[in-house]
Amino acid sequence: MTKAEEMLDIMLDFSKERDCLLGVCGAEPVEGAAFRVGGRKPPFASRPIDERLDPQLYLKGAKSVLAIGVPFGESLLPASDGGRTGYVCSMASGEDYHGRVKGMLTELRDMLLEKHGFRSIILVDSGALLEKEWAVKAGLGFWGKNCIVVSPGKGSFFNIGLMLLDAAVKNRHAISGGISCGSCRRCIDACPTGALSGDGYILDYSRCLSYLTQKKTLDEEEEEMLGGHLYGCDECQRACPWNKPGSTWVEKAKAAHVSLEWVSRMGEEEFEMTFKRTSAGWRGIETLRRSAWSMLKR
Ligand code: SF4
Ligand code: SF4
């Protein structure tokens, strides 16, 4: 068995044991990525697009990119016991995924290093490479019209983490080759703000609730667009037929409905005990309070 084959076997065993998606591909830049990202770059993506496409900028001599997809964690937020509620999307209501995904990749890297030497770098939402592009290239799923990676086996409720390696490893088979959205447009029709329009595949971040609920200041029109969304939005994923009701990863991906009254008056200590532990915590208490007040005044 070659070094590459042995490494691939360790990776595949790990993904089975840890119930995550895993794929690995060559590190040549992804074709067509600049088009999919479109002219509208979210302000959180601080680096220029072309700097986010080339693994060599992050690991000189990179030969492979490994991508994993880890299901969302269960909600840590207290359910409302009455009154008006705000929606916290399923990605954000559970334990902060950055540490969880990075921990898994570190564990896998250590297992690989016990057998073979290589250099690597782990990237989880670090603002560096475009994770979704690499997840598709590595074979985790296909590009949905909602601009989210859809796995034919698991759906789309998962977080992505990447490891760049200077060892050449590749999938033995294409994991999801040939599958696409076809004529479906359920996500486009389900989007409450028109952030997905036309034939999909391009997202207008300035209208997307995932972006708006994280934005520090909102104008009147943007406040109106929040509807009942306190943080994030799942509508285009819930509408997707690949997220089959009853399947394990979809069942895990529970959104939270929290009391707006509670959030609007939440103190630092309560924030630390609740939101700060989740993926909705990074933007801080003020943004959450602001959104809660915006909704309560309407
Ligand atoms: S997350 Fe919500 S607002 Fe954004 S594209 Fe999907 S449905 Fe539309
Ligand atoms: S809802 Fe339909 S069009 Fe949208 S991502 Fe899912 S399969 Fe594709």
Side-chain angles (χ1 to χ4, degrees), residues 215-254:
K215 197 169 169 233
K216 292 271 182 201
T217 55
L218 297 177
D219 62 27
E220 279 279 314
E221 192 198 345
E222 290 170 335
E223 281 189 355
E224 188 84 45
M225 283 160 72
L226 292 185
H229 294 83
L230 180 73
Y231 193 97
C233 167
D234 288 318
E235 311 280 343
C236 56
Q237 294 195 78
R238 297 261 171 230
C240 181
W242 294 98
N243 285 322
K244 297 180 186 107
S247 66
T248 323
W249 287 22
V250 173
E251 287 307 303
K252 265 190 192 173
K254 293 268 188 295

Side-chain angles (χ1 to χ4, degrees), residues 12-210:
L12 295 176
D13 286 348
F14 179 87
S15 76
K16 269 190 216 132
E17 270 165 34
R18 304 301 301 272
D19 188 29
C20 64
L21 292 166
L22 184 145
V24 58
C25 61
E28 311 78 33
V30 186
E31 280 173 31
F35 164 75
R36 280 186 293 276
V37 175
R40 289 176 181 274
K41 182 166 72 78
F44 308 135
S46 50
R47 297 172 202 233
I49 296 296
D50 51 358
E51 279 187 24
R52 304 186 70 206
L53 295 173
D54 187 0
Q56 302 303 325
L57 295 172
Y58 305 95
L59 181 72
K60 267 240 160 312
K63 292 197 175 85
S64 316
V65 179
L66 174 144
I68 60 170
V70 180
F72 295 167
E74 306 211 354
S75 174
L76 297 178
L77 297 174
S80 165
D81 54 6
R84 292 184 59 192
T85 59
Y87 185 92
V88 181
C89 73
S90 48
M91 187 278 287
S93 64
E95 181 192 343
D96 188 354
Y97 75 90
H98 297 84
R100 214 155 46 90
V101 176
K102 205 168 185 172
M104 283 176 71
L105 283 168
T106 306
E107 207 182 310
L108 173 57
R109 178 172 64 185
D110 291 347
M111 287 167 72
L112 292 164
L113 283 171
E114 278 178 23
K115 292 271 178 195
H116 296 288
F118 60 92
R119 290 183 308 117
S120 64
I121 182 166
I122 290 172
L123 302 169
V124 179
D125 189 29
S126 61
L129 286 187
L130 294 166
E131 288 105 339
K132 288 190 264 183
E133 295 289 345
W134 288 97
V136 172
K137 187 177 176 194
L140 300 199
F142 63 89
W143 263 107
K145 289 181 186 173
N146 54 6
C147 300
I148 288 172
V149 183
V150 182
S151 155
K154 298 288 192 181
S156 64
F157 291 116
F158 59 87
N159 296 116
I160 295 167
L162 301 179
M163 178 161 41
L164 314 185
L165 306 92
D166 71 351
V169 188
K170 272 190 188 165
N171 293 330
R172 288 197 186 98
H173 311 287
I175 295 178
S176 58
I179 301 178
S180 71
C181 292
S183 57
C184 177
R185 36 183 305 120
R186 289 193 207 176
C187 54
I188 300 169
D189 297 340
C191 177
T193 61
L196 298 164
S197 53
D199 292 327
Y201 296 117
I202 293 200
L203 176 71
D204 179 351
Y205 284 95
S206 68
R207 298 191 70 78
C208 178
L209 289 163
S210 286

